[in-house]
Amino acid sequence: MASGGVSVASLWTEVNRCGQNGDYTRALKALSKLLHENRDDVTALHCKVVCLVQNGSFKEALNVMNTHSKVLGSEVVFEKAYCEYRLNRVESSLKTIEGAPEQTDKLKELYGQVLYRLERYDECKSVYTDLIRNSQDEYEEERKTNLAAVVSAMSQWEKAPMEDLGLPESTYELCYNAACALIGQGQLTEALNKLRQAEELCRVSLADDSDVTEEDIESELAVIHSQMAYIMQLQGRTDEALQLYNQVIKLKPSDVGLLAVTANNIITINKDQNVFDSKKKVKLTSAEGVEYKLAKKQLQAIDFNKALLAMYTNQADQCRKLSSSLQSQNPGHPRPVLIQVAQLCREKQHSRAIELLQQFSDQNPESASGIKLTMAQLYLVQGHVTKACDVLRSIEEFKHKPGMVSALVTMYSHEEDIDSAIDIFKQAIEHYQSEQPGSAAHLALVREAANFKLKYGRKKEAISDLEQLWKQNTNDVHTLAQLISAYSLVDTDKAKSLSKHLPSADTMSFNVDVDELENSHGATYVRKKAAKVVGESLPKEQGQGEIKKKKKKKKGKLPKNYDPKATPDLERWLPMRERSYYRGKKKGKKKEQIGKGTQGATAGASAELDASKTASSPPTSPRPGSASGSSAAPASGVVPPRQQKPAASGATRKKAPQKKKKGGKGGW
């Protein structure tokens, strides 16, 4: 008998009844009384662990199992692995499963989930395939859904080719996973149609349940709509994608992983615009538990976008901190280094940026191609063209690509280093001669090399290239003509012998009707002089216009006071205010008018008092080129430049608005 007069049998009856009713809290009370009587009762401990798991108390359940590990032994291997999995201790859960003495079906199911979380998709696919083949119960559809999720994850994150495993698409979950697999293969249109099919299946399946509201249906459809928006974003339909993303955000779904991905995709659409909205959205990517809901590549993309957003918002320290953390987590990934370099370039520290790139390329030669391209770009920004060429020539992966050859030849030509440009052609031709002889790329490089050498007068060096081209196609008259032209300056006899291969003049002539060509629509400005016939007036043909007589220019009129003997004023073309002898108007000079001046004074008296008008005043020397004898400053002999008001820096000239015509529909 238990304490308090309650028997052990009645307590077990209570536990059994509560377990069937799902009242695990009340069952725990009865189990506590049982364990008070016998603390090492294995059955009671096992039941207590199950009740705690059902209530979501995973830590307490794990503590009970660890405390009574000797008593419980291997009885609770599944419960222990499950609690560790739910507490996101995935590695510990894997060890517990692998250390189990027997692999039951329950452990295999959990094993598949753990492998999926660890992104070991190949092993996970094998586990689910085996379970589907060897199990026959009501959970077959769930296993197929999980297998479809594994296939879509392999397609998206590992770019593995899709396998036809014969999975049906009878439910919206299976249809959704099939669409995700198509996205990974780049089949966006088919994936979008598949998502629309999944949406319809979801509405039909949930509409049968009377307890499900319209809000519940929209919440369930949120993941499908978010994936639809992602496809639209990939297709360049950013406005439609942004509208769908915002609808998902407004629903506030309980899945923090879905919210994080949706917010991150909105940030990628905003880029360096609408930064205030991006700063609000980035908070959703840092919610608690996001790291357990998303794949590593998804989390990595979110962290990259956080660093870029910090750079766009001029948070230099935050950007450096995030990019350094990313580099430590992904030491061989070039993107964290490129973010740091972009931040340094915004701070005009190009030399430091180049040093950082060089250091990374030395440490990670396998992923240095993109880094070296960025280095070359920075060298070009600083004007170091030769250094940029040296960096580009060190990229073995792109060294002999036609685009790289073209860029190097252009830069060396800009630096007038023709020898280096020819050496680039030589190395590329030798590479294709050994790898792809006679290919279109090979012959195109030979032709471009020959044209380049002929352009810069290197006809001797161009002969071998032209001969190689002509041997490939002896009917190429253009190449033969170039070869003869090159040989004419080096070996005239060879040029004469090659000229025998030229086609005759008759074969090269064309039957062209000259009159028809001149009278055609394109020969508008061709004029023909008609022969004059005495006594006949011929009609004017099309294109025959009369030549207008040139009008004789009239001689300009001379000024009235022109004196051919006097020297003209050198500053006569300048405005009066800009002439060297201009002194401005005299202020305060009173005009000789009646009623002005001192009281009783007359105009004659004022003139007599003016010393400049007396006969004793010495005469002023006339200004050169002036007909009058008025006083002026002496000419300097140099015409000063006419000054203009300088235009404001960066100002643009705008066209004046035209007036609206009467009767017209247009505005300004």
Side-chain angles (χ1 to χ4, degrees):
M1 297 293 290
S3 61
V6 180
S7 65
V8 174
S10 62
L11 288 174
W12 279 115
T13 303
E14 177 75 8
V15 170
N16 187 33
R17 186 180 71 254
C18 292
Q20 291 177 354
N21 297 332
D23 191 356
Y24 300 105
T25 304
R26 191 169 181 177
L28 281 171
K29 293 180 180 179
L31 288 167
S32 298
K33 293 178 181 179
L34 286 168
L35 290 171
H36 182 72
E37 294 295 329
N38 184 6
R39 61 186 305 272
D40 292 330
D41 189 339
V42 176
T43 306
L45 287 172
H46 196 171
C47 290
K48 182 177 182 180
V49 168
V50 171
C51 290
L52 289 172
V53 169
Q54 292 290 347
N55 283 340
S57 304
F58 304 111
K59 285 186 178 180
E60 294 181 31
L62 199 59
N63 290 334
V64 171
M65 287 183 280
N66 291 332
T67 305
H68 301 85
S69 58
K70 293 181 180 180
V71 177
L72 292 171
S74 60
E75 292 288 331
V76 290
V77 172
F78 172 78
E79 287 79 3
K80 182 180 180 183
Y82 182 77
C83 288
E84 290 171 337
Y85 171 77
R86 292 299 301 270
L87 292 171
N88 298 308
R89 304 173 188 177
V90 188
E91 295 287 350
S92 300
S93 178
L94 180 65
K95 291 180 181 179
T96 302
I97 295 172
E98 291 176 343
E102 182 185 0
Q103 293 295 322
T104 61
D105 288 343
K106 292 194 301 182
L107 277 175
K108 287 181 180 179
E109 297 273 3
L110 183 58
Y111 186 46
Q113 294 283 353
V114 170
L115 291 174
Y116 184 84
R117 284 281 298 275
L118 292 172
E119 300 183 20
R120 293 163 58 174
Y121 299 122
D122 285 328
E123 301 173 56
C124 183
K125 186 179 73 170
S126 301
V127 170
Y128 279 120
T129 304
D130 181 65
L131 282 170
I132 292 171
R133 187 184 300 115
N134 300 317
S135 300
Q136 290 182 353
D137 52 25
E138 66 274 15
Y139 299 109
E140 183 179 359
E141 190 174 286
E142 283 78 359
R143 295 188 188 99
K144 290 181 178 179
T145 301
N146 291 343
L147 180 59
V150 173
V151 172
S152 66
M154 293 175 68
S155 176
Q156 284 186 303
W157 310 126
E158 297 181 354
K159 302 301 178 184
M162 289 179 59
E163 296 183 37
D164 187 8
L165 300 177
L167 296 174
E169 296 176 6
S170 54
T171 63
Y172 71 92
E173 293 96 340
L174 284 164
C175 204
Y176 172 82
N177 287 334
C180 293
L182 289 171
I183 293 173
Q185 299 299 315
Q187 302 177 29
L188 301 181
T189 305
E190 295 84 350
L192 190 59
N193 294 333
K194 196 74 70 177
L195 286 172
R196 292 195 178 103
Q197 183 182 347
E199 180 183 10
E200 186 64 26
L201 287 171
C202 181
R203 290 187 184 278
V204 171
S205 63
L206 295 179
D208 297 336
D209 192 346
S210 58
D211 296 332
V212 178
T213 63
E214 186 63 28
E215 292 182 358
D216 296 334
I217 295 175
E218 291 299 324
S219 179
E220 190 68 22
L221 288 171
V223 64
I224 299 176
H225 290 161
S226 183
Q227 200 73 300
M228 283 181 173
Y230 175 65
I231 294 176
M232 293 175 184
Q233 183 179 354
L234 293 178
Q235 292 176 335
R237 299 155 58 186
T238 53
D239 292 337
E240 300 173 63
L242 196 60
Q243 185 178 0
L244 265 180
Y245 282 142
N246 286 323
Q247 288 179 7
V248 173
I249 294 291
K250 288 179 181 177
L251 288 173
K252 297 180 179 179
S254 58
D255 189 351
V256 292
L258 173 61
L259 276 175
V261 171
T262 305
N264 176 75
N265 292 349
I266 292 175
I267 293 171
T268 60
I269 292 177
N270 291 337
K271 295 183 180 179
D272 57 344
Q273 306 296 322
N274 203 2
V275 179
F276 180 72
D277 179 64
S278 297
K279 290 184 72 174
K280 290 195 299 182
K281 296 293 188 296
V282 79
K283 295 178 181 177
L284 297 175
T285 64
S286 304
E288 184 180 357
V290 169
E291 64 273 15
Y292 306 119
K293 292 286 186 177
L294 304 179
K296 290 180 181 178
K297 290 191 176 181
Q298 290 175 305
L299 295 171
Q300 190 181 73
I302 289 173
D303 290 339
F304 284 144
N305 289 334
K306 286 179 180 179
L308 288 171
L309 183 61
M311 183 183 71
Y312 289 141
T313 53
N314 297 319
Q315 296 176 300
D317 294 336
Q318 181 72 4
C319 177
R320 277 190 285 268
K321 181 180 178 181
L322 289 172
S323 56
S324 298
S325 175
L326 283 170
Q327 189 175 5
S328 62
Q329 296 172 12
N330 310 277
H333 204 294
R335 194 169 296 173
V337 179
L338 292 175
I339 295 174
Q340 295 180 47
V341 167
Q343 180 60 44
L344 290 171
C345 290
R346 288 170 70 93
E347 298 171 1
K348 308 299 182 183
Q349 300 183 35
H350 294 93
S351 300
R352 172 64 183 142
I354 292 174
E355 290 177 6
L356 198 62
L357 291 171
Q358 185 64 53
Q359 182 181 357
F360 180 84
S361 63
D362 293 340
Q363 295 175 353
N364 304 276
E366 69 282 353
S367 58
S369 300
I371 294 295
K372 288 185 177 180
L373 288 173
T374 308
M375 287 176 63
Q377 182 182 0
L378 291 180
Y379 274 129
L380 288 175
V381 168
Q382 292 180 300
H384 303 318
V385 181
T386 305
K387 290 183 178 180
C389 292
D390 294 339
V391 172
L392 292 176
R393 295 182 72 172
S394 66
I395 306 176
E396 294 295 333
E397 185 180 353
F398 305 138
K399 188 176 182 180
H400 302 299
K401 297 285 186 182
M404 182 63 75
V405 172
S406 176
L408 286 169
V409 169
T410 302
M411 288 191 283
Y412 277 129
S413 301
H414 179 270
E415 293 295 295
E416 299 181 359
D417 189 355
I418 308 304
D419 293 332
S420 297
I422 292 175
D423 186 52
I424 292 293
F425 275 121
K426 180 182 177 182
Q427 293 180 7
I429 291 170
E430 289 176 353
H431 171 76
Y432 279 96
Q433 182 68 38
S434 61
E435 299 293 334
Q436 305 173 20
S439 63
H442 178 213
L443 297 179
L445 279 172
V446 174
R447 182 172 296 282
E448 290 299 325
N451 292 336
F452 183 82
K453 293 170 184 177
L454 291 174
K455 178 181 177 182
Y456 287 96
R458 307 289 183 90
K459 295 191 176 182
K460 291 183 180 180
E461 301 175 22
I463 287 174
S464 61
D465 296 333
L466 292 171
E467 282 184 339
Q468 185 178 353
L469 287 173
W470 188 57
K471 288 177 181 178
Q472 291 287 336
N473 184 10
T474 54
N475 296 325
D476 190 353
V477 180
H478 178 71
T479 303
L480 179 58
Q482 286 181 315
L483 184 58
I484 293 171
S485 175
Y487 265 123
S488 64
L489 299 176
V490 180
D491 189 349
T492 54
D493 295 335
K494 185 68 174 177
K496 289 179 181 179
S497 63
L498 286 173
S499 62
K500 296 177 182 178
H501 298 281
L502 287 171
S504 62
D506 296 335
T507 58
M508 295 183 66
S509 62
F510 300 98
N511 296 324
V512 179
D513 188 348
V514 179
D515 294 333
E516 183 182 356
L517 182 63
E518 289 183 347
N519 293 327
S520 65
H521 179 70
T524 308
Y525 299 100
V526 177
R527 295 179 180 176
K528 296 167 68 176
K529 290 185 179 179
K532 294 182 180 179
V533 181
V534 180
E536 294 183 5
S537 59
L538 297 175
K540 295 180 181 179
E541 296 181 2
Q542 185 179 0
Q544 294 178 352
E546 294 182 355
I547 301 174
K548 294 182 179 180
K549 295 181 179 180
K550 295 183 179 179
K551 294 182 179 180
K552 293 183 179 180
K553 293 184 179 180
K554 294 182 180 181
K555 295 183 179 180
K557 294 182 179 180
L558 297 172
K560 294 180 180 180
N561 58 351
Y562 172 69
D563 184 4
K565 297 180 181 180
T567 306
D569 184 10
L570 297 177
E571 300 183 15
R572 64 188 182 277
W573 307 111
L574 299 178
M576 182 60 72
R577 289 181 174 275
E578 296 183 9
R579 298 182 187 180
S580 60
Y581 47 78
Y582 179 71
R583 292 292 181 269
K585 295 181 180 181
K586 294 182 180 180
K587 297 181 181 180
K589 185 175 181 181
K590 297 179 181 180
K591 297 182 179 180
E592 298 177 359
Q593 296 180 4
I594 299 175
K596 299 291 182 73
T598 57
Q599 187 174 2
T602 61
S606 62
E608 292 175 359
L609 295 174
D610 190 354
S612 63
K613 296 181 180 180
T614 58
S616 59
S617 298
T620 58
S621 59
R623 176 166 51 89
S626 175
S628 63
S630 60
S631 62
S636 62
V638 179
V639 181
R642 185 172 183 178
Q643 298 179 352
Q644 295 180 354
K645 185 178 180 180
S649 175
T652 57
R653 186 175 182 180
K654 296 182 179 179
K655 187 175 180 181
Q658 299 177 356
K659 291 185 177 179
K660 182 178 179 181
K661 294 181 180 180
K662 293 183 179 180
K665 295 182 180 180
W668 286 106

